[in-house]
Amino acid sequence: MYFITSNEGKFREAKELAAKYSVEVKWLKMEYIEPQGNSLEEIAKLSAEMLAEKVDGDFVIEDSGLFVEALKGFPGPYSSYVFKTIGNEGILKLMKGEENRKAYFKAVVAYFDGKDVHIFTGMVSGEIAREARGAGGFGYDPIFLYNGRTFAEMETEEKNRVSHRRRAFEKLFMWLKEKD
Ligand code: IMP
């Protein structure tokens, strides 16, 4: 199957995991305009339906975001835009003086099998740090605390073992295996 994404890091993570399930994932490097929606599930489903008109064969896409409890789930489906605008410093500012630091990452994987779209989700819970820490990873990793360290302070492999993306893709690959 093709993984349609412009993000190489996402592709590599999915490819490595796929190999463990004997699934071959190829990179279709492509940027597409995401339809608007109020949930990651809705956006992923609409995106997959739109891409199904253009791409031959089966493919997968992934949409993810950070959900902060004290901010009522913000930035959620708007994570990409918020990261590009106010970024990690902006989130830390919004969280100043806030004691409830609970947050989670969520990933939604939409797989088009040539006929229908199937949705799989994965989550990882953690907390918003009080300051950005670590040089690894990408996006919100420096402010996302998991068991006392930020995702940006972990080795890629260590983060990938518990990531929301891994959990979502794992569900897809297990589902494909069971179907065989
Ligand atoms: P998208 O799924 O490419 O639209 O990404 C949504 C936003 O969430 C981007 O700004 C990413 O930086 C952020 N994001 C998604 N997954 C992660 C992650 O594993 N770590 C840190 N940020 C993430």
Side-chain angles (χ1 to χ4, degrees):
M1 73 177 74
Y2 281 110
F3 183 5
I4 306 175
T5 178
S6 57
N7 183 327
E8 189 178 1
K10 282 188 180 182
F11 167 69
R12 251 189 279 120
E13 199 178 325
K15 186 185 159 82
E16 272 170 39
L17 186 63
K20 293 192 184 129
Y21 290 87
S22 310
V23 175
E24 198 199 349
V25 177
K26 286 186 272 185
W27 188 14
L28 186 54
K29 189 179 177 187
M30 181 172 144
E31 255 183 274
Y32 54 88
I33 296 171
E34 276 185 2
Q36 289 207 336
N38 290 323
S39 70
L40 294 177
E41 285 86 347
E42 196 183 341
I43 296 167
K45 190 163 187 284
L46 289 171
S47 301
E49 285 167 357
M50 179 188 80
L51 288 164
E53 307 278 320
K54 299 183 187 162
V55 178
D56 266 343
D58 61 338
F59 66 82
V60 66
I61 56 167
E62 184 259 15
D63 201 26
S64 44
L66 174 71
F67 295 73
V68 183
E69 193 173 283
L71 304 178
K72 314 244 187 304
F74 181 84
Y78 313 108
S79 292
S80 177
Y81 180 71
V82 170
F83 185 74
K84 281 187 227 148
T85 51
I86 64 172
N88 286 335
E89 286 311 313
I91 298 287
L92 291 177
K93 223 186 236 177
L94 288 171
M95 291 296 285
K96 211 164 179 184
E98 178 60 61
E99 285 311 309
N100 175 10
R101 316 289 302 179
K102 281 187 207 153
Y104 62 86
F105 275 120
K106 182 172 179 178
V108 175
V109 159
Y111 171 64
F112 180 69
D113 60 8
K115 200 164 151 264
D116 301 305
V117 176
H118 305 270
I119 300 285
F120 303 87
T121 61
M123 278 165 61
V124 59
S125 296
E127 284 176 24
I128 299 299
R130 301 212 175 245
E131 73 279 304
R133 283 201 329 242
F138 68 99
Y140 298 105
D141 281 347
I143 62 164
F144 188 80
L145 275 177
Y146 181 81
N147 281 345
R149 278 181 304 150
T150 69
F151 266 0
E153 289 178 307
M154 295 182 178
E155 295 292 332
T156 311
E157 199 205 323
E158 198 181 353
K159 173 195 161 185
N160 292 351
R161 239 182 283 144
V162 297
S163 85
H164 46 310
R165 195 163 301 107
R166 183 207 175 100
R167 289 172 176 164
F169 270 104
E170 207 152 51
K171 283 187 195 164
L172 164 65
F173 298 143
M174 272 164 29
W175 178 80
L176 284 171
K177 235 180 157 178
E178 277 167 20
K179 244 172 25 114
D180 275 350

